[in-house]
Amino acid sequence: MDLPLIKRKELDFQLYECLDTETLCQRARFFEHSRDTFNAVLDTAERIATDKFAPHNTLADKAEPEFNGQSVTMLDAVKSAVDAYNEAGFIAGRYDYEEGGMQLPETVMTACAGYFMAANPSTTAYPFLTVAAANVIRTFASDAVKSAFLPRMLEGTYTGTMALTEPHAGSSLADIKTRAVKQDDGTYRIKGSKLYISAGEHELSENIIHLVLAKIDGAPDGVKGISLFAVPKYRLDSNNELADKNDVALAGLIHKLGYRGTTSTALSFGDNDDCLGYLIGEENVGLKYMFQMMNEARLGVGFGAAMIGYRGYQYSLAYAKDRLQGRAAPNIAPSDPQVPIIEHGDVKRMLLAQKAYVEGAMALCFYGARLVDDIHTLEDKNARKESTELLDLLTPAIKAWPSEFGVKANDLAIQVLGGAGYTREYPVEQCWRDNRLNPIHEGTNGIQALDLLTRKLWQNRGMGLGLLQARIEADFAKVSSDDVKALVHAVSPYLAQFVSILPNAAKGLGDTRLPASLANASCMLNVFSTLLVSWMWIRQANTAANALTRATSEDDLHFYQGKLQAAKYFIRWELPLIKRDLNILTHFDSCCADMQQEWF
Amino acid sequence: MDLPLIKRKELDFQLYECLDTETLCQRARFFEHSRDTFNAVLDTAERIATDKFAPHNTLADKAEPEFNGQSVTMLDAVKSAVDAYNEAGFIAGRYDYEEGGMQLPETVMTACAGYFMAANPSTTAYPFLTVAAANVIRTFASDAVKSAFLPRMLEGTYTGTMALTEPHAGSSLADIKTRAVKQDDGTYRIKGSKLYISAGEHELSENIIHLVLAKIDGAPDGVKGISLFAVPKYRLDSNNELADKNDVALAGLIHKLGYRGTTSTALSFGDNDDCLGYLIGEENVGLKYMFQMMNEARLGVGFGAAMIGYRGYQYSLAYAKDRLQGRAAPNIAPSDPQVPIIEHGDVKRMLLAQKAYVEGAMALCFYGARLVDDIHTLEDKNARKESTELLDLLTPAIKAWPSEFGVKANDLAIQVLGGAGYTREYPVEQCWRDNRLNPIHEGTNGIQALDLLTRKLWQNRGMGLGLLQARIEADFAKVSSDDVKALVHAVSPYLAQFVSILPNAAKGLGDTRLPASLANASCMLNVFSTLLVSWMWIRQANTAANALTRATSEDDLHFYQGKLQAAKYFIRWELPLIKRDLNILTHFDSCCADMQQEWF
């Protein structure tokens, strides 16, 4: 089926109707931009994603990268796609004009990212990791390190990785064993093993810059002794030209359930005690730098999950309109013609649930992207600080909820297709497999739940939470149509109950209820995220209700009706499920905490 | 990790403590059996499953069957496993001694099946399909057809398939196009295409007997005109010895997401107008015969899903005990040793949820198996009739709930393993992929929901439902410990609410609320299934509470404590989620039904 990767009307709605992205053009940084220039960039992204990324998505899943003893080989199409991405200037899209960038807002860059993620998440991972690594170097590295690596990364001739995880240290970075020893010339020698390093080896670029977490000899224990290093695959000479190979070796390729086109590697640094690394920023502050990258990555993971979910939704929707099967009352005689399965109520349910999940998740991610823009470009310093607090608070939800519900959406897409959905002859099973990575990487959803429960909710005396409440209430107050008011009416008591349990939840972290609190962290994340997505649906429903009064084309009328219906679905069918979690949190249910290892 | 496929204590608990399977030996049919003979059969199943099935489970997933133009080839290990299964007499395990069977109860055969499903669901599919096809032939075919095929099927030299689905007819069997034309000799010529036929082609047996649904020329429209035929891959001569090839051709192999070791085929019958088929039973009654097979298959699908879920649970449990990561309060200094991840509350939650899903599902399936035994071997005719009604009512839930929650359990197993869980170097991702078939085949879970809502709940004026209520109440009345009484107390209001909404739900099927009723069918199935599993957990908890007062070994004490805790978890964490569904059903929420095709 020949489907657009994303319906442009959906992007227009999210960007220009819900978020009013055009107003960004009034800010100094985006002064030379307009809706037209934004759209031109979106057109380019759509074209490259459609022409260069989408065609080999299935192929790359089947023909995984291989190590031939010398180098890692993969489909040629991957390199042409990545090259096209680089040539269009997307890597530096966010950067200043002087740096060769396009000074585009995060909101617009996120929309562009949507096309690539919907087209081919595996190939997209290569440039995205480069963008993330380049950002860290740009923000924290010395001028010398910057000038060595950054320009090449921005043009895409060098790529980047995040090398955090070790065989025995995943979620617990405090326990990494990779060591760094300072040399007389100010560089370091790195030694250690890293695991699950995406894009850790390939021939897509002239050089790979690994951002490696390591401990300098004598550093403090735990996370306070972690430093960050740029470790190139190939060293540079004094003119910053490629020289000999650094002591970084591919220890093995890992074979994943999905995202098969992205190499996942085990890397050995310093097997021959000659692995050169450059300190980024100061010693022992590495985790902080890495967390800037990680937080951006978390937003990206959530959005990518939403887009893979969206892709499965669109495919299953098209299939359901096309596939004839069975009859619908009252015309159920064998002589009556069969109907497209979209006319069966249970199929509608599965499609509506997908729509509610993925478009709710998209709205949440775009909201986060807008906060990034506000952090960087609002004039008022206080307002920037507020945006920072708010984004910090939302980050665990933006990472976790779309990744959990993206997989659920893809599961429903398979179910809509029935037996066909279970075969590799149709694309939805790959969506499901690809998406399953998202609840795991860049901090598992369990880690996100702990981050929310033990840190983010209370950060700066709950400043983010106060701001969030005010924003939600302001949006609710704007609602004018009766339909949407009914939805606000349905959400408000849940919101109030959530707020009311927080003081006790905070206390529980400091007394004997700690084990139960921690074991139930997922309930807190679920309540919080579901309320956020409910809010996003009320924002979308309100926008749609207002637009309906002005819309004239039949397509637009249908589009806005669909938004209203999906909002109703989410608030009537999904929101009530958090009653369970609220109850567990209120009573510090100790079922899970009490379970003993020996009882399993 | 070297894990037993199933903990024997778990099977003992389900078979002998919860179901009192030994009492079956008092019935005439099982008079020569005892707990010892049952255990000997279980030992054999465990041994063959462990030695012959488990070792190639991963290999067969990687090396899929291939068609070389002449025949379908696969790993040799598949044939040796199937041969070992056949040689041990499992195919005829349920049959009379005179037929070469072992006269074993369904309950015990189900437990044996558990070992094979936990070891290798793909290879297990071959003999299981043969058993199912043999049962239909044994029950409904003429003596001539029986003598031609049955003895060979029971010894495993012939295998069987179910050939229902066609490219344009999956859930809607009324629309099959395969035709049958009667010949002068009483045989039929079959012509048509079938799709997704598992085990449709291979070299594991001398012959393959396809049970094919087709319409005889001039038959009534729709399901009332469907007949069932035995169509062999090779014809037999007048001495029932193999003769020339029948006109059945492999049109192609289908490549699935999981169950990759089982061939999935597109088959062409009668490309050369020379496909010989034998009518089974009477003309136009084929769907009824096939539904006997289908109903057995549905029980098998549910149980298989529970077992794949169980396997993932056991693996993730062992991993969680072994994998060190992070620290647990209060010893969280970097210098403190890391703890096994099972000590983290959120990991406990994911393990406890898996336990509650898969052991709850197993209990439900064993309960169903016991009903099969009661249908066949209770002395009192009325009691047999009651068992039939009850099993009919439970079947949609036994098929759907374990298949939905088996996948959920495997999803949690992946999450417990984190990054490792996402790789094919660990076994849990295959469990997840394999299990994803189960909500689809043998009637999608959407079909199960409709079956429950529009038929089974009301069958014979709700006789099954009345019997079910009486059984639940009787079990609840038996509970003596305060702990378990508290659980009964928690379940009872939900059960009462379910019962109270039924009269209106019945009315809704006959008036303008029909579309909403059908669109919300999954809610009814979810309420019904969750209440059943809650009941199963109360039965297990009560058994465990009683056993705790007598248990002496530490292992037993832990085992029973675990059962109590999992029951608590299910009833406190999972049961309350049906409030949402009860509310939707009570109000005939029309969100999904109202959604229009154009609005998506």
Side-chain angles (χ1 to χ4, degrees):
Chain A
M1 281 178 229
D2 210 15
L3 296 170
L5 293 169
I6 316 177
K7 283 183 185 163
R8 183 56 75 91
K9 175 69 190 170
E10 181 65 37
L11 280 186
D12 287 347
F13 178 77
Q14 298 284 354
L15 292 180
Y16 302 120
E17 299 184 61
C18 291
L19 281 174
D20 212 0
T21 301
E22 276 178 275
T23 57
L24 288 177
C25 305
Q26 295 157 16
R27 299 183 188 174
R29 180 169 182 80
F30 306 124
F31 211 70
E32 296 185 28
H33 280 296
S34 65
R35 182 160 171 166
D36 286 344
T37 64
F38 292 162
N39 284 345
V41 179
L42 290 172
D43 290 343
T44 306
E46 181 173 21
R47 183 173 45 76
I48 297 175
T50 304
D51 296 348
K52 294 284 190 176
F53 281 70
H56 70 279
N57 186 43
T58 307
L59 286 176
D61 181 66
K62 289 179 177 151
E64 277 174 290
E66 284 179 9
F67 182 58
N68 62 16
Q70 297 292 320
S71 60
V72 170
T73 60
M74 59 182 75
L75 293 177
D76 292 342
V78 178
K79 184 157 169 51
S80 11
V82 172
D83 286 349
Y85 183 96
N86 297 340
E87 280 157 25
F90 282 113
I91 292 188
R94 292 162 179 85
Y95 292 179
D96 297 353
Y97 296 126
E98 304 90 81
E99 290 174 277
M102 298 191 269
Q103 269 182 226
L104 280 164
E106 182 66 26
T107 321
V108 175
M109 289 301 292
T110 296
C112 292
Y115 281 114
F116 297 104
M117 287 303 297
N120 187 330
S122 288
T123 295
T124 298
Y126 295 105
F128 279 24
L129 283 161
T130 302
V131 170
N135 271 348
V136 172
I137 289 175
R138 177 174 178 256
T139 314
F140 300 111
S142 65
D143 286 344
V145 172
K146 257 196 267 195
S147 59
F149 302 126
L150 193 59
R152 304 290 174 86
M153 292 177 85
L154 295 186
E155 69 191 29
T157 44
Y158 292 6
T159 50
T161 76
M162 302 169 69
L164 289 70
T165 300
E166 301 184 2
H168 58 282
S171 297
S172 179
L173 289 172
D175 294 288
I176 60 166
K177 291 182 184 164
T178 299
R179 314 298 307 183
V181 180
K182 193 168 185 178
Q183 308 295 303
D184 293 342
D185 64 357
T187 64
Y188 291 75
R189 287 296 172 277
I190 310 291
K191 192 175 177 69
S193 300
K194 296 285 179 180
L195 193 64
Y196 304 135
I197 308 310
S198 293
E201 182 59 46
H202 54 73
E203 301 294 320
L204 298 171
S205 58
E206 295 173 10
N207 205 354
I208 302 175
I209 315 306
H210 305 288
L211 296 192
V212 177
L213 288 185
K215 292 190 168 180
I216 297 169
D217 280 353
D221 278 348
V223 293
K224 291 177 183 165
I226 296 177
S227 300
L228 181 63
F229 299 88
V231 180
K233 175 178 170 183
Y234 292 101
R235 299 175 179 208
L236 304 184
D237 65 19
S238 53
N239 297 320
N240 282 338
E241 296 301 323
L242 288 177
D244 51 330
K245 200 159 178 313
N246 199 4
D247 183 13
V248 181
L250 178 68
L253 289 179
I254 293 145
H255 299 88
K256 303 188 300 308
L257 167 60
Y259 266 89
R260 293 191 183 193
T262 312
T263 48
S264 179
T265 60
L267 295 177
S268 286
F269 295 89
D271 275 354
N272 305 309
D273 296 320
D274 195 25
C275 177
L276 172 72
Y278 302 92
L279 182 68
I280 293 181
E282 294 171 38
E283 291 190 350
N284 303 332
V285 194
L287 201 68
K288 187 186 133 196
Y289 308 146
M290 194 51 105
F291 257 93
Q292 163 175 317
M293 184 166 175
M294 183 78 93
N295 279 325
E296 286 171 12
R298 286 176 177 177
L299 303 180
V301 165
F303 185 67
M307 294 316 304
I308 301 173
Y310 182 83
R311 190 81 189 121
Y313 161 54
Q314 288 298 316
Y315 191 91
S316 66
L317 174 60
Y319 183 91
K321 287 178 177 174
D322 184 61
R323 167 79 175 170
L324 302 177
Q325 195 72 183
R327 289 155 186 84
N331 305 312
I332 55 169
S335 55
D336 288 318
Q338 296 205 65
V339 298
I341 60 171
I342 197 171
E343 293 190 25
H344 297 305
D346 190 57
V347 174
K348 277 192 203 173
R349 174 187 67 81
M350 293 190 283
L351 292 168
L352 190 52
Q354 288 181 68
K355 180 178 171 73
Y357 297 162
V358 301
E359 295 176 7
M362 277 167 74
L364 182 64
C365 295
F366 276 120
Y367 198 93
R370 172 59 175 253
L371 288 172
V372 173
D373 284 323
D374 289 346
I375 290 167
H376 293 125
T377 63
L378 277 176
E379 287 219 2
D380 182 54
K381 192 180 155 190
N382 222 20
R384 289 204 302 273
K385 167 74 181 152
E386 288 183 359
S387 303
T388 305
E389 287 295 328
L390 205 45
L391 184 62
D392 277 358
L393 175 61
L394 298 190
T395 298
I398 294 178
K399 192 276 173 180
W401 197 88
S403 65
E404 184 180 342
F405 282 80
V407 179
K408 282 192 188 180
N410 290 145
D411 178 83
L412 289 169
I414 292 176
Q415 197 69 17
V416 168
L417 268 73
Y422 192 70
T423 71
R424 280 130 65 204
E425 278 77 11
Y426 290 80
V428 290
E429 63 85 27
Q430 187 189 342
C431 293
W432 187 63
R433 284 187 289 107
D434 285 345
N435 227 345
R436 186 61 188 83
L437 181 57
N438 289 315
I440 295 172
H441 66 162
E442 313 310 342
T444 64
N445 287 3
I447 294 289
Q448 304 305 319
L450 289 176
D451 183 38
L452 179 75
L453 176 70
T454 65
R455 272 188 296 266
K456 295 297 175 61
L457 282 173
W458 332 106
Q459 190 170 292
N460 287 329
R461 297 171 174 253
M463 181 178 170
L465 202 65
L467 292 163
L468 176 64
Q469 259 187 283
R471 287 200 176 206
I472 293 176
E473 279 160 19
D475 281 336
F476 284 7
K478 276 185 218 154
V479 168
S480 54
S481 84
D482 287 344
D483 261 15
V484 188
K485 273 187 184 163
L487 299 181
V488 168
H489 204 71
V491 175
S492 297
Y494 288 98
L495 186 62
Q497 200 190 340
F498 164 66
V499 172
S500 76
I501 65 167
L502 288 177
N504 217 19
K507 277 187 215 139
L509 292 170
D511 60 31
T512 54
R513 295 169 298 179
L514 176 64
S517 302
L518 297 178
N520 303 344
S522 66
C523 296
M524 184 64 90
L525 179 60
N526 197 40
V527 168
F528 180 68
S529 306
T530 305
L531 286 169
L532 290 178
V533 179
S534 300
W535 169 40
M536 288 298 130
W537 270 115
I538 283 177
R539 283 171 55 90
Q540 293 186 74
N542 189 47
T543 305
N546 291 337
L548 265 178
T549 63
R550 298 183 305 267
T552 49
S553 85
E554 204 171 43
D555 281 355
D556 280 358
L557 288 168
H558 288 155
F559 179 87
Y560 296 123
Q561 285 287 3
K563 285 289 178 188
L564 281 171
Q565 199 68 13
K568 267 187 216 168
Y569 169 84
F570 192 83
I571 286 161
R572 288 200 206 153
W573 284 62
E574 300 293 332
L575 174 65
L577 294 171
I578 66 171
K579 265 187 206 159
R580 187 273 306 255
D581 303 279
L582 285 164
N583 193 45
I584 283 168
L585 293 167
T586 304
H587 298 102
F588 293 87
D589 182 290
S590 63
C591 246
C592 298
D594 290 346
M595 184 69 183
Q596 300 299 304
Q597 213 184 118
E598 302 75 23
W599 297 356
F600 279 108
Chain B
M1 281 179 230
D2 209 16
L3 297 170
L5 293 170
I6 316 176
K7 283 183 185 163
R8 182 57 74 92
K9 175 68 190 172
E10 182 65 37
L11 280 186
D12 286 346
F13 178 76
Q14 298 284 355
L15 293 180
Y16 303 121
E17 298 184 61
C18 291
L19 282 175
D20 212 0
T21 301
E22 275 179 274
T23 57
L24 289 177
C25 305
Q26 294 157 17
R27 299 184 189 173
R29 181 168 182 80
F30 307 123
F31 212 70
E32 295 184 28
H33 281 296
S34 64
R35 182 160 172 168
D36 285 344
T37 65
F38 294 162
N39 284 345
V41 179
L42 291 171
D43 290 343
T44 305
E46 180 173 21
R47 183 174 44 76
I48 296 175
T50 305
D51 295 348
K52 295 283 189 175
F53 281 69
H56 70 280
N57 186 43
T58 308
L59 286 175
D61 182 65
K62 290 179 177 149
E64 278 175 290
E66 285 179 8
F67 182 56
N68 61 17
Q70 296 294 321
S71 59
V72 171
T73 59
M74 61 182 74
L75 294 177
D76 292 340
V78 178
K79 183 154 168 53
S80 14
V82 173
D83 287 348
Y85 182 96
N86 297 340
E87 279 156 26
F90 281 113
I91 292 188
R94 292 162 178 86
Y95 292 179
D96 296 355
Y97 295 126
E98 304 89 81
E99 291 174 278
M102 295 192 273
Q103 263 178 237
L104 280 164
E106 182 67 27
T107 321
V108 174
M109 289 303 292
T110 297
C112 291
Y115 281 114
F116 297 104
M117 288 302 299
N120 188 329
S122 288
T123 296
T124 298
Y126 296 104
F128 279 23
L129 283 162
T130 303
V131 170
N135 271 349
V136 172
I137 291 175
R138 177 174 178 255
T139 314
F140 300 111
S142 65
D143 285 345
V145 172
K146 256 196 269 192
S147 61
F149 301 127
L150 192 60
R152 302 290 175 86
M153 292 177 84
L154 295 186
E155 68 190 28
T157 44
Y158 291 6
T159 52
T161 76
M162 302 171 68
L164 290 68
T165 301
E166 299 183 2
H168 58 281
S171 296
S172 180
L173 289 173
D175 295 288
I176 60 166
K177 291 183 185 162
T178 299
R179 313 298 308 181
V181 180
K182 193 167 183 176
Q183 308 295 305
D184 293 342
D185 65 356
T187 65
Y188 292 75
R189 286 295 172 279
I190 311 291
K191 192 174 178 73
S193 300
K194 296 286 178 180
L195 193 65
Y196 305 136
I197 308 310
S198 294
E201 183 56 49
H202 54 72
E203 301 294 321
L204 298 171
S205 57
E206 295 173 11
N207 205 353
I208 302 175
I209 313 306
H210 304 288
L211 296 193
V212 177
L213 288 186
K215 291 189 169 180
I216 296 169
D217 280 354
D221 278 348
V223 293
K224 291 176 184 165
I226 297 177
S227 300
L228 181 63
F229 298 87
V231 180
K233 175 178 172 184
Y234 292 102
R235 300 176 179 208
L236 304 185
D237 64 19
S238 53
N239 298 319
N240 283 336
E241 295 301 322
L242 289 177
D244 51 330
K245 201 161 177 309
N246 199 3
D247 184 12
V248 181
L250 178 68
L253 288 179
I254 294 145
H255 300 89
K256 302 187 302 306
L257 167 59
Y259 267 90
R260 295 192 181 190
T262 312
T263 49
S264 179
T265 61
L267 295 178
S268 286
F269 294 89
D271 274 354
N272 305 308
D273 296 321
D274 196 25
C275 178
L276 171 71
Y278 302 92
L279 181 69
I280 293 181
E282 294 171 35
E283 291 190 350
N284 303 332
V285 194
L287 201 68
K288 187 187 133 197
Y289 308 147
M290 194 53 106
F291 256 95
Q292 163 175 317
M293 186 166 173
M294 184 78 94
N295 278 326
E296 284 170 13
R298 286 176 177 176
L299 303 181
V301 165
F303 185 67
M307 293 317 304
I308 301 172
Y310 183 84
R311 190 82 190 119
Y313 161 54
Q314 288 297 316
Y315 192 90
S316 66
L317 173 61
Y319 184 90
K321 287 178 177 174
D322 184 61
R323 168 80 175 169
L324 302 177
Q325 196 72 182
R327 289 157 186 82
N331 304 311
I332 56 168
S335 55
D336 288 319
Q338 296 205 67
V339 298
I341 60 172
I342 197 170
E343 293 191 23
H344 297 306
D346 191 56
V347 174
K348 276 191 203 173
R349 173 187 67 82
M350 294 190 281
L351 293 168
L352 190 52
Q354 289 181 68
K355 181 178 171 72
Y357 297 162
V358 302
E359 295 177 6
M362 278 167 73
L364 182 62
C365 296
F366 277 120
Y367 198 93
R370 173 57 176 255
L371 287 172
V372 174
D373 284 324
D374 289 346
I375 290 168
H376 292 125
T377 63
L378 276 176
E379 285 217 3
D380 181 56
K381 194 181 155 189
N382 221 20
R384 288 204 302 272
K385 167 75 180 151
E386 289 183 0
S387 303
T388 304
E389 287 295 327
L390 205 47
L391 184 62
D392 277 358
L393 175 62
L394 298 189
T395 297
I398 294 178
K399 193 275 174 180
W401 197 89
S403 66
E404 184 180 343
F405 283 80
V407 179
K408 283 193 188 179
N410 290 146
D411 179 83
L412 289 169
I414 291 175
Q415 197 68 16
V416 167
L417 267 71
Y422 193 70
T423 70
R424 281 130 64 205
E425 278 77 10
Y426 290 81
V428 289
E429 63 85 28
Q430 186 189 342
C431 293
W432 188 62
R433 286 187 289 107
D434 285 345
N435 227 345
R436 187 62 188 82
L437 180 57
N438 289 315
I440 295 172
H441 66 163
E442 314 308 344
T444 64
N445 287 3
I447 294 288
Q448 303 305 319
L450 289 176
D451 183 37
L452 179 74
L453 176 70
T454 66
R455 274 188 294 266
K456 296 298 176 61
L457 281 175
W458 333 106
Q459 189 170 292
N460 285 331
R461 300 170 172 250
M463 181 179 169
L465 202 64
L467 292 163
L468 176 64
Q469 258 186 284
R471 285 199 177 206
I472 293 176
E473 279 159 20
D475 281 336
F476 284 8
K478 275 185 219 152
V479 168
S480 54
S481 83
D482 287 345
D483 262 13
V484 188
K485 274 187 184 163
L487 300 179
V488 169
H489 203 71
V491 175
S492 297
Y494 289 98
L495 186 62
Q497 201 190 338
F498 164 66
V499 171
S500 77
I501 64 168
L502 288 177
N504 218 19
K507 278 186 215 139
L509 291 170
D511 60 32
T512 54
R513 296 169 297 180
L514 176 64
S517 301
L518 296 178
N520 303 344
S522 66
C523 296
M524 184 64 90
L525 179 60
N526 197 39
V527 168
F528 181 68
S529 306
T530 306
L531 286 169
L532 289 179
V533 179
S534 299
W535 168 40
M536 288 299 130
W537 270 114
I538 283 176
R539 284 171 53 90
Q540 292 186 73
N542 189 47
T543 306
N546 291 336
L548 265 178
T549 63
R550 297 183 306 266
T552 49
S553 85
E554 203 170 41
D555 281 355
D556 280 357
L557 289 167
H558 289 153
F559 179 87
Y560 296 122
Q561 285 286 2
K563 285 288 177 188
L564 281 171
Q565 200 67 14
K568 268 186 215 169
Y569 169 84
F570 192 83
I571 285 163
R572 289 200 205 155
W573 284 61
E574 301 293 332
L575 174 65
L577 294 171
I578 67 171
K579 265 188 206 159
R580 185 273 307 253
D581 303 279
L582 284 164
N583 194 45
I584 283 167
L585 293 168
T586 303
H587 298 103
F588 293 87
D589 183 289
S590 65
C591 246
C592 298
D594 291 345
M595 184 70 183
Q596 300 299 305
Q597 212 182 119
E598 302 75 23
W599 297 355
F600 280 108

